[in-house]
Amino acid sequence: MTRPSRHHVCTACGATAPKWTGRCSACGEWNTLTEQSGPREPRLGGRDVGAHGWRADEGGLRIALGEHPMRPVPLPSVSPDASEPFPTGIDELDRVLSGGLVPGSVTLLGGEPGIGKSTLVLQAVSATADRGGRALIVAAEESAEQVSRRAARLGSVAEAGFLMSTAHLMAAIEAADQVGPRLLVIDSIQAISDPAISSPAGSPTQVRECAQLLAQYAKATGTATILVGHVTKDGALAGPRTLEHLVDTVLSFEGDRHHALRSLIATKHRYGPAGELGLFEMNEDGLTSITDPSAVLLGDRRPDAAGTVAMPVVEGRRPLLVEVQALVTRSHSAAPRRVVQGVSPSRLALLLAILERRCDCHLGSVDVFASTVGGIKVSEPASDLAVALAVLSSITGFPLPPDAVVFGELGLAGEVRQVARPERRLAEAGRLGFRRAIVPEATPDGPPGMHLQRVRSVVEAVALLGWTDLVRHLKAAPSPAA
Ligand code: TYD
Ligand code: MG
């Protein structure tokens, strides 16, 4: 049992502190710490919460001790089978989860409003039910009619799929107890609350404590649980970041709302590698897994246009061909603009600095726009050379050879550095019909028919393309063709 203790809770961010201070050390707000006594575990006000040895009493929520061995056990005697993932039946979701959902695991699915989170979880519930597993979705934001209308649009749901429309945590847990689902979805964690928790619905404390209770429920009952969470514009999960520490897996669902492409990535995953990328297309009948993403991403490519470069990236384990585009124009403001989509702004700034110094090209009075097609986020430095050549191509007005791909990391001295998994990148490029690759010097040979143009520096790459003078003579403004 935990001893009752006194502690302070911040009303702004939900952080707890052992002592009162004038300023919350977590969020920096003043005068927000309020004293609370009792155990730090969430309280449920003396209610019984189900048939799984769960009880809520004076001391808060407890799992009956008998169910949990209190002695250490030899590691080899612990069966790993219990943590075998089960596939949800949605290919790209299973790929990101390295096989599926692990029983008893808690997954946070974050994304901006309208991106398609509710659609994805509804499809996961439906696919799980189709495979004969019971699945329950708790709709805390939408009425049962709204959800069932959406479900009908997405196709029929098998008998094993259940829906509960409630914003009350206890009602949700009771519903889960009745159904005994293999997959439980809470849509959304921000909309669910418990009046026994003494802070307003939607507040960080509510969100965190409800999530904590659901996590305990998931572990105690072996229910794989997905919590849907809204993310604010700057990418932070609304509510305390501590939610990320509390769950086993954090999935981020991203994309441009005006385009059909959606990407799903695990930023944290306790049961497999993080960073694996899943891709979907959103259309009238929901989300479809994209099985050949490179083909889709290059679908509208115009290889003869200046400023565009095809680059093979490796997100997770999968190679992917992504088109990067740059547009360089004369700036009309004192502080020239650098606008990015899918490319890191600080990385672009660094690349422009390298170009300025090493290629003698003056970028102080031009605006630079750089984006990846479909808004696919490319975080690996292996994309450096491609982004740099896209910028230079826009400046010179000359396109790269239409059958060329580019990869390589750029060092501060303008040197082109080796990157991981060159064979996979070249193989994917070859599969899609590319026959030429501008790559770091140490790159091993690619597939038959692929001609490698190995370069040691960005200056060499520029010379190879015959752009040296064009780039150097650009003093204040890019050529009209750019
Ligand atoms: P939704 O899943 O409600 O987003 P979230 O839960 O992340 O807020 O989906 C939002 C958008 O998706 C909505 O604008 C309509 C669109 N949509 C489709 O294009 N096709 C579909 O089949 C469905 C269900 C939604
Ligand atoms: Mg929703």
Side-chain angles (χ1 to χ4, degrees), residues 18-172:
K19 279 200 295 199
W20 188 87
T21 49
R23 188 179 191 191
C24 172
S25 61
C27 68
E29 283 293 312
W30 289 92
N31 295 324
T32 51
L33 290 184
T34 55
E35 184 175 348
Q36 301 207 347
S37 62
R40 284 185 205 187
E41 284 91 344
R43 298 164 137 262
L44 283 173
R47 273 169 303 179
D48 198 333
V49 286
H52 299 278
W54 271 59
R55 283 206 353 103
D57 56 22
E58 291 286 291
L61 191 59
R62 290 276 165 278
I63 298 160
L65 282 181
E67 294 193 356
H68 282 247
M70 299 301 285
R71 283 174 291 108
V73 293
L75 198 44
S77 75
V78 182
S79 156
D81 295 346
S83 60
E84 274 297 299
F86 65 87
T88 61
I90 297 186
D91 295 345
E92 291 296 282
L93 178 59
D94 291 335
R95 169 201 296 281
V96 174
L97 293 169
S98 9
L101 288 164
V102 171
S105 67
V106 184
T107 302
L108 180 63
L109 172 67
E112 284 182 19
I115 206 71
K117 301 178 297 297
S118 298
T119 309
L120 182 63
V121 288
L122 194 56
Q123 286 183 233
V125 161
S126 168
T128 305
D130 278 346
R131 299 169 151 245
R134 287 177 166 232
L136 168 65
I137 183 161
V138 173
E141 292 179 357
E142 290 163 290
S143 68
E145 292 72 30
Q146 280 171 306
V147 180
S148 78
R149 206 174 310 130
R150 190 196 321 239
R153 237 173 95 191
L154 298 175
S156 61
V157 184
E159 289 277 292
F162 290 83
L163 164 66
M164 171 84 186
S165 172
T166 181
H168 292 279
L169 177 75
M170 291 317 300

Side-chain angles (χ1 to χ4, degrees), residues 422-443:
E423 311 83 357
R424 287 195 168 193
R425 297 174 201 266
L426 292 171
E428 179 71 354
R431 186 180 76 81
L432 285 138
F434 289 91
R435 291 289 164 259
R436 214 187 300 215
I438 303 178
V439 295
E441 196 180 25
T443 307

Side-chain angles (χ1 to χ4, degrees), residues 294-305:
S294 298
V296 173
L297 292 172
L298 295 179
D300 297 329
R301 184 169 140 80
R302 275 189 48 214
D304 57 338

Side-chain angles (χ1 to χ4, degrees), residues 145-396:
E145 292 72 30
Q146 280 171 306
V147 180
S148 78
R149 206 174 310 130
R150 190 196 321 239
R153 237 173 95 191
L154 298 175
S156 61
V157 184
E159 289 277 292
F162 290 83
L163 164 66
M164 171 84 186
S165 172
T166 181
H168 292 279
L169 177 75
M170 291 317 300
I173 288 184
E174 272 158 28
D177 251 348
Q178 278 173 31
V179 173
R182 165 176 235 205
L183 168 62
L184 168 65
V185 174
I186 307 291
D187 187 5
S188 68
I189 189 65
Q190 276 113 338
I192 207 116
S193 68
D194 188 321
I197 300 167
S198 58
S199 35
S203 71
T205 309
Q206 273 282 356
V207 171
R208 204 193 51 221
E209 302 218 339
C210 287
Q212 213 155 29
L213 280 167
L214 287 161
Q216 288 183 17
Y217 182 84
K219 297 276 178 270
T221 58
T223 313
T225 302
I226 300 180
L227 309 176
V228 172
H230 295 296
V231 167
T232 52
K233 269 270 175 273
D234 61 3
L237 268 171
R241 295 289 315 228
T242 46
L243 221 53
E244 295 192 1
H245 301 289
L246 206 126
V247 299
D248 302 301
T249 302
V250 179
L251 299 180
S252 175
F253 202 31
E254 295 167 7
D256 179 347
R257 240 192 302 168
H258 306 292
H259 290 101
L261 192 73
R262 299 283 181 277
S263 59
L264 184 71
I265 194 156
T267 54
K268 165 183 175 177
H269 194 26
R270 281 196 182 136
Y271 305 103
E276 195 58 51
L277 180 75
L279 289 169
F280 297 90
E281 212 172 321
M282 172 70 97
N283 33 46
E284 311 76 58
D285 44 6
L287 293 155
T288 333
S289 294
I290 298 181
T291 41
D292 188 358
S294 298
V296 173
L297 292 172
L298 295 179
D300 297 329
R301 184 169 140 80
R302 275 189 48 214
D304 57 338
T308 90
V309 175
M311 58 181 182
V313 300
V314 177
E315 288 291 341
R317 279 161 293 177
R318 171 155 70 168
L320 207 62
L321 264 151
V322 177
E323 180 183 353
V324 59
Q325 298 189 328
L327 185 66
V328 180
T329 59
R330 192 200 313 260
S331 180
H332 295 286
S333 75
R337 305 179 66 198
R338 275 79 178 102
V339 182
V340 294
Q341 199 191 4
V343 177
S344 145
S346 56
R347 201 77 203 170
L348 178 70
L350 181 78
L351 294 177
L352 297 182
I354 294 172
L355 293 182
E356 180 120 25
R357 277 304 292 275
R358 307 296 163 198
C359 300
D360 208 9
C361 102
H362 299 265
L363 298 162
S365 54
V366 291
D367 291 335
V368 179
F369 301 84
S371 65
T372 55
V373 169
I376 288 272
K377 245 190 214 163
V378 176
S379 50
E380 51 162 19
S383 61
D384 287 352
L385 186 59
V387 176
L389 292 186
V391 169
L392 295 177
S393 166
S394 175
I395 289 174
T396 62

